Amino acid sequence: MNPPMWRRLGVAGAAGVVLLAAVPSAGAHAQTIDGAADQAQPYVVVMQADPAIAYEGGVPGLAPARPDPGEKIDPSDPAVAEYVNHLQAEHQQTLADAGVSTSALRESFTYALNGFSANLTPDQADRVAKQPGVAMVSRDELRQVQTDVSPDFLGLTARHGAWASGYDGEGVIVGVIDTGIWPEHPSFADDGSYPEPPADWMGGEIACEFGDTAHNPADLPFECNNKLIGARDMRITYKEQIGPEVYNSARDYDGHGTHTSSTAAGNAGVQAEIFGVDRGTVSGVAPRAHVAMYSACGSLGCFNSDTAAAIDAAVADGVDVINFSIGGGPGLISADDIAFLFANDAGVFIATSAGNEGPGAATVGSPANDPWVMGVGANTHTRTFQGTATLGDGTRFNGASVTGGVGPLPLVDAEDHGNPLCNPAITFEPAVTGTIVLCARGGGLARLDKSRAVAEQGGAGMILFNENDAEALITDNHYVPSVHISFSEGQEVKAYIDEAGDGATATLTAGQPARVKGSVMADFSSRGPNAAAADIIKPDVTAPGVNILAGTTPTPNLGAPGQLFMSISGTSMASPHVAGLLALIKQAHPDWSPAMAHSAVMTTARQGVFKEDGVTRADVFDVGAGHIDPGQAADKPNSVFNPGLVYDAGFNDYLGFLCEAAPAAFADPSATCAALAAAGIPTTAENLNYPSIGVSDVAGTVTVQRTITNVADRRINWHALADSPDGFTVKVTPRHVQLDPGESATVEIEITNRRAPVDEWRFGSLTWTGAGYKVTSPIAVKGVALSSPAEVTGTGTEGSASFDVQFGYDGAYSAAGHGLVPMVGVTDSVGQDPDQEFDPNDPVGVTAHEFELSGTAHLRLALTTADLSPANPDIDLDLFLFNSAGEQVASSTQGGTDELIDLTLPADDTYTLYVHGWQTLGQEVGYTLRTWEVSLDTGGSLTVTNAPTEAALGETGTVEVSWSGLDPASTYLGAVSHTGPDGILGLTLVSVTTG
């Protein structure tokens, strides 16, 4: 074996006497240690063997871990990981050989230092110091290190970065709509240096709603300060319908709100400790910003009325930025969506979580899919917390953990005890008392529920394994010592238990900081395309959201109590990073509109992000414009504070977007949109002045427009450079634009289909350069064989309509009419789903309807508040459609009851629609489901009177239709089919109201 690195560098003595001369071992001077002779105290143990960064080989079976000259150590390198595992095992063995339980181990150091910390009595420390391979044992010292790496990872702490430039959020008010806040948390303490909030904040009368001790004695009164400048309990509907639950105030019952608030704008340099282990210090992205909490959610969720009221109150109070780590299914015009539209108009910068339904396509939900808010995806940063599960045969698995260690103890498989998912409602048979339990993730149960089941039934520890190998490994404040491992590793543990039987054992080590590959998308992060508006790319950006260390409540509904910090994951954790960044921008540019701030964040975003496999480059639907990058010198070109150009938009621009994307937002769409068009406001989604460019149907040539505004401090000649998506060409006119400071210009971007694959998205970019600036917008376009309106409308028992089609191919074309068919109502009722988690097999809260489809062109299913009995807007029913194979083929999960499912050209099959009682206010709710089933047969009341007969790539033709003989006072649905040489290319729906 080669000598350790410190010996090769000339440190003398086989026992490391130069080091030990400075800090004697505890065994030599036991009298200097504070505390009683039998009282455990924190110690640091330094080992003689090289740490990973210096290890050049020598241990049989372990390759060198030292990086090449000039390179940094890569913890994901298998050689490094194996050597780290080896050192961790030696640390445990050293304690065991000294007669000390391995549960005393607090943290292992393996990269730049080989050693560990442990809680030891003086006698135990003396025995450890005498073990072979130990160089030094000394009392622990309290050192201030920064463990939450987000500020460093984002570059905020750089020498010329945001904080050094004075952009720290001073004077900006960040409003957080969430589960409440723990007001005594050190992240919100006022050290006397914060300025007072504006005199008109909250109308001059600060709401600080804590202290309902009659409901819960733990809800102590609290007087807001100049850091936490207000807190409102907005759960009006929630408490009326469900109850106040844990706290009848703005105090955080869950931890989620405290976590997001401290991430966005928590104090700088706050000492973090979990389960008695010092985790270093944490800082919010905007540490000098004021914080205001709007508690709008209970343990069962958030009513739209409460969240909309919270948005309203926040705007009225005078917040500058809102973080909204809450979401639902895709949609554009729920109460939240519209409230945020007006908040945007009020100048409030808004960050929202994209959703945790990834990695499947089209999973971004509302309100993140709105163009007037920033939708944020989640990725890794470079730090996690890692523990090790060591089996009795010596096999070791590194996994996510912030808990303490335990073992060696008997190891059992929960599946062998009748409860594979570790469900708290199911008793383990036989009992698992005193064992470490292997639990499977999933089953609709929270991860914390699983460790709770183990703890409540006497288990001593848990190994949690994933449902698949793509899932992220998550650190949670579990009820028992726990290590979270991958699916494949879980299968290995299962196999070991099967082989070892009653002799199976395991040891879990305490979680410790570990480096991982950053900028990797979380598997759960929701992805584009935007299901609510395909021409608006979502998410907008991505930010750290995996194992984020921040505050929590000491009295959570789930998780071990008594902690003030937790390391958790979700796009909920990514969004406040952007909210904090928006606060810094607000401080730097208080006169900027929200759209200008959003544009700055997007056009300065960096690339270099990977998909969840850690290898494949992420695409536009993973990351939007890219990863937020506030680390550039604040006064230099391409900084988020100095982007050069912005794409600005306002209230009327968003109304124009809704003309195409959600015309139901208007009482009279035709009149409103005609007025907007007459005023020069674009009324198509692709022409919204957005910092990204999306076009979902390019058959030939599509021309979109953008307006660029120079926010640099000088006149600049801007030059456009297009990176055209494969199969397309992109042309910008004019290509060169000279702009003075504050001056704007409108340009046209011509996108032409040059034989691109049909129905496949392709990605590119548009970059403006000049005077050292590079202002980049992502492009996402999809080629289609034919571009036509999704739906046209008409009125009257007889009438006509026309629409244009554009061709993406050369060859034959024909159009045919199908229907019209009247609406058929299906009446039934549904009750409350107790756990609000949809499951088609639930005994209550789900009502099923079957549809036998054969030769069907289109099936439409709709349910609105007007179809309910009682017609209460707070009732929320959802729709889920499955085929006969049990596969979900469609769903509608809008806030409230405003549900619509459209199924075009379905396969012949038996389909089951489930009406889900997500929120029935505890009652059985009657409903009339509206259905339309349009046949592929022709010859009905809808007739094509004129249409092209030949298609030519890029050419446009007009289709004319008419109808007659309809009954009055009804609603009809039909379709025009578009047929090419290879069959039907698509449908244009025709909906007609007769009175």
Side-chain angles (χ1 to χ4, degrees):
M1 178 176 178
N2 292 333
M5 172 64 75
W6 56 264
R7 296 185 193 175
R8 288 197 301 276
L9 292 176
V11 179
V17 294
V18 172
L19 291 176
L20 295 178
V23 187
S25 76
H29 296 276
Q31 70 273 18
T32 66
I33 299 173
D34 297 332
D38 60 349
Q39 182 178 351
Q41 301 288 334
Y43 286 82
V44 173
V45 180
V46 177
M47 306 294 288
Q48 294 178 356
D50 285 331
I53 200 167
Y55 173 63
E56 293 185 333
V59 178
L62 293 179
R66 185 185 183 190
D68 293 331
E71 298 293 327
K72 296 180 180 180
I73 195 164
D74 180 5
S76 63
D77 182 346
V80 176
E82 289 174 7
Y83 185 68
V84 166
N85 289 341
H86 166 74
L87 295 183
Q88 292 171 341
E90 285 194 336
H91 299 166
Q92 293 192 66
Q93 191 63 50
T94 296
L95 287 173
D97 291 345
V100 180
S101 171
T102 54
S103 64
L105 191 148
R106 298 172 67 211
E107 294 186 3
S108 284
F109 321 115
T110 56
Y111 294 105
L113 174 69
N114 176 18
F116 59 92
S117 63
N119 286 328
L120 306 171
T121 66
D123 180 66
Q124 289 172 334
D126 187 33
R127 297 201 305 270
V128 169
K130 295 175 181 178
Q131 297 303 308
V134 174
M136 179 179 66
V137 178
S138 64
R139 277 291 308 276
D140 203 351
E141 293 181 1
L142 183 61
R143 298 182 182 271
Q144 302 300 315
V145 294
Q146 188 175 18
T147 306
D148 187 356
V149 299
S150 287
D152 283 343
F153 183 70
L154 296 177
L156 295 170
T157 59
R159 183 179 179 185
H160 299 291
W163 290 356
S165 302
Y167 299 143
D168 54 11
E170 181 88 14
V172 178
I173 300 172
V174 177
V176 181
I177 300 173
D178 216 296
T179 65
I181 197 167
W182 193 258
E184 297 87 358
H185 199 282
S187 289
F188 315 118
D190 181 1
D191 63 1
S193 67
Y194 285 95
E196 293 186 359
D200 59 354
W201 164 245
M202 284 189 166
E205 296 184 10
I206 294 177
C208 191
E209 298 174 359
F210 305 104
D212 188 349
T213 55
H215 179 75
N216 186 335
D219 186 9
L220 300 178
F222 183 86
E223 184 176 345
C224 286
N225 52 47
N226 288 340
K227 177 63 177 180
L228 178 57
I229 62 173
R232 297 187 185 275
D233 183 2
M234 305 302 303
R235 297 169 300 151
I236 307 304
T237 302
Y238 192 93
K239 288 191 287 187
E240 287 177 351
Q241 302 299 330
I242 298 172
E245 299 181 323
V246 180
Y247 298 114
N248 190 33
S249 76
R251 189 173 289 275
D252 192 359
Y253 66 90
D254 177 79
H256 192 275
T258 303
H259 195 280
T260 56
S261 300
S262 56
T263 300
N267 285 327
V270 175
Q271 197 68 34
E273 181 179 284
I274 306 177
F275 299 122
V277 177
D278 182 4
R279 298 298 182 186
T281 60
V282 297
S283 301
V285 174
R288 294 290 297 176
H290 301 297
V291 175
M293 171 52 63
Y294 299 83
S295 178
C297 302
S299 62
L300 294 180
C302 325
F303 280 99
N304 275 351
S305 54
D306 290 341
T307 52
I311 299 165
D312 187 62
V315 173
D317 288 341
V319 303
D320 299 304
V321 178
I322 289 176
N323 185 76
F324 192 79
S325 291
I326 304 166
L332 293 168
I333 53 175
S334 75
D336 292 344
D337 299 310
I338 300 304
F340 277 129
L341 175 59
F342 283 94
N344 176 290
D345 189 46
V348 178
F349 298 179
I350 304 158
T352 65
S353 49
N356 299 329
E357 303 302 319
T363 48
V364 175
S366 168
N369 52 206
D370 300 342
W372 45 86
V373 305
M374 291 211 75
V376 186
N379 58 265
T380 64
H381 53 34
T382 52
R383 193 269 298 122
T384 189
F385 295 100
Q386 182 175 278
T388 301
T390 302
L391 307 184
D393 64 0
T395 305
R396 301 179 184 89
F397 301 103
N398 290 330
S401 177
V402 290
T403 63
V406 70
L409 288 172
L411 173 64
V412 300
D413 188 344
E415 186 173 22
D416 297 335
H417 292 251
N419 189 5
L421 295 171
C422 295
N423 188 332
I426 298 175
T427 301
F428 292 104
E429 293 289 351
V432 296
T433 306
T435 68
I436 296 172
V437 184
L438 178 68
C439 297
R441 188 176 177 180
L445 295 169
R447 296 181 301 274
L448 286 164
D449 270 328
K450 298 171 185 294
S451 63
R452 178 165 68 90
V454 173
E456 289 176 346
Q457 299 188 50
M462 178 183 72
I463 300 174
L464 177 67
F465 69 91
N466 277 340
E467 297 177 273
N468 58 69
D469 283 335
E471 284 184 309
L473 302 180
I474 308 300
T475 52
D476 293 298
N477 285 7
H478 282 293
Y479 293 85
V480 293
S482 301
V483 174
H484 184 178
I485 62 177
S486 70
F487 172 79
S488 295
E489 291 169 334
Q491 300 312 297
E492 291 186 54
V493 178
K494 272 183 172 289
Y496 163 72
I497 295 172
D498 289 343
E499 181 177 348
D502 292 341
T505 63
T507 301
L508 308 182
T509 64
Q512 61 177 329
R515 289 184 61 84
V516 294
K517 184 175 182 177
S519 302
V520 176
M521 291 303 298
D523 66 288
F524 55 75
S525 186
S526 291
R527 313 300 166 96
N530 188 343
D535 294 327
I536 301 296
I537 297 172
K538 290 286 180 167
D540 292 304
V541 289
T542 187
V546 178
N547 297 338
I548 303 301
L549 179 63
T552 188
T553 172
T555 59
N557 274 354
L558 274 178
Q563 308 304 311
L564 284 177
F565 295 89
M566 61 181 174
S567 175
I568 58 175
S569 303
T571 56
S572 284
M573 284 60 257
S575 178
H577 284 85
V578 173
L581 177 55
L582 291 175
L584 305 184
I585 297 173
K586 174 67 77 170
Q587 179 187 10
H589 298 287
D591 57 339
W592 275 12
S593 71
M596 295 169 74
H598 297 176
S599 177
V601 174
M602 292 172 67
T603 62
T604 61
R606 65 170 172 83
Q607 305 308 303
V609 183
F610 297 86
K611 288 182 178 289
E612 57 275 12
D613 62 10
V615 177
T616 308
R617 288 278 179 175
D619 63 42
V620 169
F621 289 152
D622 298 319
V623 302
H627 193 289
I628 62 170
D629 187 19
Q632 304 296 320
D635 60 343
K636 299 298 183 182
N638 306 313
S639 162
V640 72
F641 306 103
N642 184 18
L645 287 176
V646 295
Y647 297 84
D648 198 7
F651 189 74
N652 286 339
D653 300 290
Y654 297 125
L655 294 185
F657 155 80
L658 289 171
C659 285
E660 179 180 63
F666 308 111
D668 187 346
S670 298
T672 301
C673 297
L676 288 168
I681 304 296
T683 55
T684 56
E686 69 265 18
N687 282 320
L688 177 66
N689 201 44
Y690 210 62
S692 56
I693 300 166
V695 186
S696 58
D697 56 350
V698 182
T701 297
V702 173
T703 300
V704 301
Q705 68 179 47
R706 291 292 187 271
T707 299
I708 53 176
T709 300
N710 184 11
V711 293
D713 60 0
R714 73 196 92 163
R715 175 185 290 184
I716 296 178
N717 291 314
W718 294 100
H719 308 279
L721 176 64
D723 179 11
S724 298
D726 290 345
F728 298 86
T729 58
V730 176
K731 178 183 177 182
V732 181
T733 306
R735 187 178 174 185
H736 306 282
V737 180
Q738 186 178 84
L739 296 175
D740 288 326
E743 189 177 6
S744 300
T746 298
V747 300
E748 291 187 339
I749 304 160
E750 183 182 272
I751 303 169
T752 301
N753 185 337
R754 301 294 187 190
R755 309 289 180 186
V758 172
D759 292 330
E760 292 185 19
W761 287 93
R762 291 290 184 266
F763 307 114
S765 63
L766 169 62
T767 300
W768 291 95
T769 63
Y773 289 93
K774 291 181 65 177
V775 185
T776 301
S777 295
I779 297 174
V781 291
K782 184 176 69 174
V784 294
L786 180 135
S787 177
S788 66
E791 186 168 345
V792 296
T793 61
T795 59
T797 58
E798 61 181 57
S800 62
S802 64
F803 56 90
D804 289 339
V805 295
Q806 188 177 46
F807 300 107
Y809 72 100
D810 297 312
Y813 168 79
S814 63
H818 310 269
L820 301 159
V821 299
M823 184 272 287
V824 175
V826 178
T827 302
D828 213 317
S829 66
V830 68
Q832 176 69 53
D833 181 354
D835 64 6
Q836 295 188 304
E837 293 286 341
F838 169 71
D839 184 336
N841 298 312
D842 276 347
V844 294
V846 175
T847 301
H849 303 273
E850 283 194 357
F851 295 87
E852 188 76 36
L853 302 186
S854 178
T856 302
H858 192 86
L859 175 69
R860 170 168 286 181
L861 307 167
L863 190 62
T864 69
T865 298
D867 303 317
L868 306 181
S869 178
N872 187 329
D874 288 325
I875 291 173
D876 188 348
L877 306 187
D878 295 325
L879 304 181
F880 297 86
L881 188 65
F882 284 69
N883 61 20
S884 62
E887 301 166 331
Q888 182 177 314
V889 295
S891 66
S892 179
T893 57
Q894 293 273 47
T897 303
D898 184 17
E899 313 304 333
L900 177 68
I901 286 179
D902 279 309
L903 195 63
T904 298
L905 299 172
D908 293 350
D909 197 3
T910 299
Y911 294 83
T912 303
L913 177 78
Y914 297 96
V915 179
H916 179 225
W918 190 87
Q919 180 56 266
T920 72
L921 308 180
Q923 59 189 316
E924 188 77 11
V925 174
Y927 60 82
T928 299
L929 177 71
R930 290 182 283 163
T931 73
W932 295 263
E933 185 180 338
V934 181
S935 173
L936 278 171
D937 293 340
T938 57
S941 54
L942 182 66
T943 302
V944 174
T945 56
N946 187 47
T949 59
E950 289 290 326
L953 178 64
E955 295 297 319
T956 299
T958 300
V959 176
E960 299 175 356
V961 298
S962 65
W963 60 88
S964 62
L966 306 185
D967 294 332
S970 188
T971 57
Y972 285 80
L973 185 69
V976 173
S977 61
H978 307 285
T979 300
D982 299 322
I984 294 179
L985 303 172
L987 303 178
T988 295
L989 300 180
V990 180
S991 57
V992 177
T993 302
T994 59

